[in-house]
Amino acid sequence: MKLILIGMPGSGKSTQGNLLSKELNIPYLSTGDIFRTLSKEPTPTGRYIKEIIDKGSLIPDDKTIQIVTEYLSRSDYKDGYILDGFPRTSIQAMNFKDNIDYVLYLSIDDVESLNRLLKRQDKLRQDDTVNTIKKRIEIFHKQTQPVLDFYKPKGLLQIVDGSKSIEGIHQVIIDILKNIHEI
Ligand code: ADP
């Protein structure tokens, strides 16, 4: 099964992605994790990516598409995956030709997004400053919301209320997948 997770910063994509990955035994792949790893490399590419992430901007589409395509061509992902953070723009969505089963949108509002990120002091990231979070939320509305409009008419979009508890959301997702995919 090939799943895409979409949601604002702090919506719980990585939490839910990892839970689903364990339960369904499908590999989880996060473009945020990939880029954060690349950003630590002491190379021009590493420094370039770090600068973009720390600003809260997006890595250019061509680079992102190239990296994700390279990852997904690995044998680990041939039977399915849970993809977090991609596609994040219309261009990425239009250029992504894989046969996706479902797009799960974890829906929370702007205030919840900001509050959750500022509260996660235990695992605060370098891009979790008020200004950067606000920028990421704004980019979500401008660039990522259209990705939902892209998948909706294809009948692939499932909207999940992301404001519930971790367990509650997980159960909702499992129920959705059971109903439509008989997992
Ligand atoms: P969040 O959802 O909390 O903003 P992520 O871990 O998904 O965080 O992404 C962190 C950063 O990685 C983004 O702000 C962006 O700079 C970069 N990134 C992740 N996925 C993409 C993508 N598909 N296209 C461009 N940039 C991306």
Side-chain angles (χ1 to χ4, degrees), residues 7-11 13 30-33 35-36 49 52-54 56-61 64 68 84-89 92 117 120 125 127-128 132 136:
M8 273 210 264
S11 60
K13 289 166 293 163
S30 148
T31 50
D33 288 347
F35 289 135
R36 270 187 293 280
I49 290 178
I52 296 178
I53 292 183
D54 288 352
S57 303
L58 294 183
I59 312 300
D61 285 327
T64 301
V68 174
D84 163 359
F86 181 92
R88 217 172 175 105
T89 66
Q92 292 178 14
L117 294 200
R120 68 173 178 197
R125 290 184 344 211
D127 58 344
D128 283 346
T132 309
R136 280 150 61 203

Side-chain angles (χ1 to χ4, degrees), residues 23-111:
E23 178 143 346
L24 306 177
N25 208 11
I26 301 175
Y28 166 78
L29 186 65
S30 148
T31 50
D33 288 347
I34 294 173
F35 289 135
R36 270 187 293 280
T37 302
L38 290 175
S39 75
K40 290 180 187 131
E41 288 179 1
T43 58
T45 306
R47 282 188 284 274
Y48 168 72
I49 290 178
K50 181 172 176 354
E51 207 177 297
I52 296 178
I53 292 183
D54 288 352
K55 272 199 305 201
S57 303
L58 294 183
I59 312 300
D61 285 327
D62 52 352
K63 184 99 196 135
T64 301
I65 293 165
Q66 180 204 327
I67 290 173
V68 174
T69 308
E70 194 272 309
Y71 266 82
L72 293 183
S73 68
R74 297 178 186 178
S75 61
D76 312 17
Y77 303 108
K78 75 173 178 359
D79 296 327
Y81 48 76
I82 298 163
L83 187 53
D84 163 359
F86 181 92
R88 217 172 175 105
T89 66
S90 310
I91 293 179
Q92 292 178 14
M94 286 186 293
N95 280 280
F96 186 45
K97 304 281 189 238
D98 230 350
N99 277 327
I100 295 303
D101 291 287
Y102 297 106
V103 176
L104 299 172
Y105 169 43
L106 297 180
S107 161
I108 56 168
D109 64 27
D110 295 16
V111 176

